[in-house]
């Protein structure tokens, strides 16, 4: 089986059938009612709520924060994350979100949600107020990339 066929199979099964139709209908309604920027903000607020409801334990290192985040993602079947420390920023690479598998690259849906979750988790971990989490364009449909960096 070709790797593209395997990925298509994964995408088809990443979200349970009971939710697929509902999410697609919800997406169509929100897409028709809200501009992309508002939809992204709404999904980020929903993500922040999720982050508060799934609070991470206090940790001392970025690696421990990544492990705690992945424990939540594993328990909810929402993929996995890798935090990559770089000068003046942390790159956040989230793979295998069920929303991206169902909805594809629709503006703001999974990217806004995950941006809000990571913003909340980093705030709770002590992120300075001059820092924020922002989505970066991604070349891969199954990996969303964010940056935690200074806000200008």
């Amino acid at each position: 089986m070709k790797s593209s066929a395997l990925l298509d199979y994964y995408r088809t099964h990443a979200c349970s059938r009971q939710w697929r139709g509902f999410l697609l209908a919800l997406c169509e309604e929100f897409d028709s009612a809200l501009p992309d920027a508002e939809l992204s903000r709404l999904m980020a607020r929903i993500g922040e709520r999720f982050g508060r409801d799934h609070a991470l334990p206090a940790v001392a290192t970025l690696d421990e924060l990544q492990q705690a985040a992945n424990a939540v993602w594993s328990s909810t079947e929402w993929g996995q994350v890798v935090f990559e420390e770089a000068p003046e920023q942390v790159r956040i690479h989230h793979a295998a979100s069920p929303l991206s598998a169902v909805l594809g690259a629709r503006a703001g849906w999974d990217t806004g949600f995950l941006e809000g979750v990571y913003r909340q988790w980093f705030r709770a971990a002590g992120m300075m107020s001059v820092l924020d989490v922002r989505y970066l364009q991604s070349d891969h449909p199954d990996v969303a990339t964010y940056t935690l960096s200074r806000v200008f």
Side-chain angles (χ1 to χ4, degrees):
M1 185 179 276
K2 293 182 181 180
S3 63
S4 62
L6 289 171
L7 286 173
D8 289 343
Y9 177 84
Y10 152 74
R11 287 183 194 101
T12 302
H13 290 84
C15 179
S16 72
R17 288 177 289 173
Q18 74 191 72
W19 288 105
R20 184 174 295 278
F22 171 80
L23 285 174
L24 288 170
L26 183 70
C27 178
E28 291 297 324
E29 282 301 312
F30 278 22
D31 280 347
S32 67
L34 297 172
D36 289 349
E38 284 185 45
L39 179 58
S40 292
R41 284 191 296 273
L42 173 64
M43 292 306 294
R45 286 193 311 269
I46 292 169
E48 289 176 19
R49 182 178 301 272
F50 179 94
R52 285 189 300 274
D53 292 346
H54 295 83
L56 302 181
V59 296
T61 67
L62 185 62
D63 186 55
E64 290 173 349
L65 189 65
Q66 177 182 298
Q67 290 174 22
N70 277 321
V72 170
W73 295 136
S74 178
S75 72
T76 58
E77 297 182 356
W78 260 80
Q80 62 184 17
V81 67
V82 172
F83 297 150
E84 175 188 358
E85 197 166 1
E88 300 187 23
Q89 68 176 325
V90 172
R91 291 279 174 119
I92 303 162
H93 305 283
H94 189 104
S97 159
L99 277 181
S100 66
V102 172
L103 303 175
R106 288 198 157 127
W109 277 88
D110 68 328
T111 58
F113 174 78
L114 291 170
E115 183 179 291
V117 173
Y118 290 118
R119 180 177 294 125
Q120 176 58 37
W121 284 346
F122 276 100
R123 280 180 183 158
M127 177 176 77
M128 297 183 325
S129 63
V130 296
L131 301 176
D132 200 8
V133 174
R134 294 282 184 233
Y135 172 69
L136 300 174
Q137 294 297 327
S138 179
D139 295 333
H140 196 290
D142 300 307
V143 179
T145 301
Y146 304 82
T147 184
L148 168 64
S149 60
R150 189 176 185 88
V151 178
F152 294 101

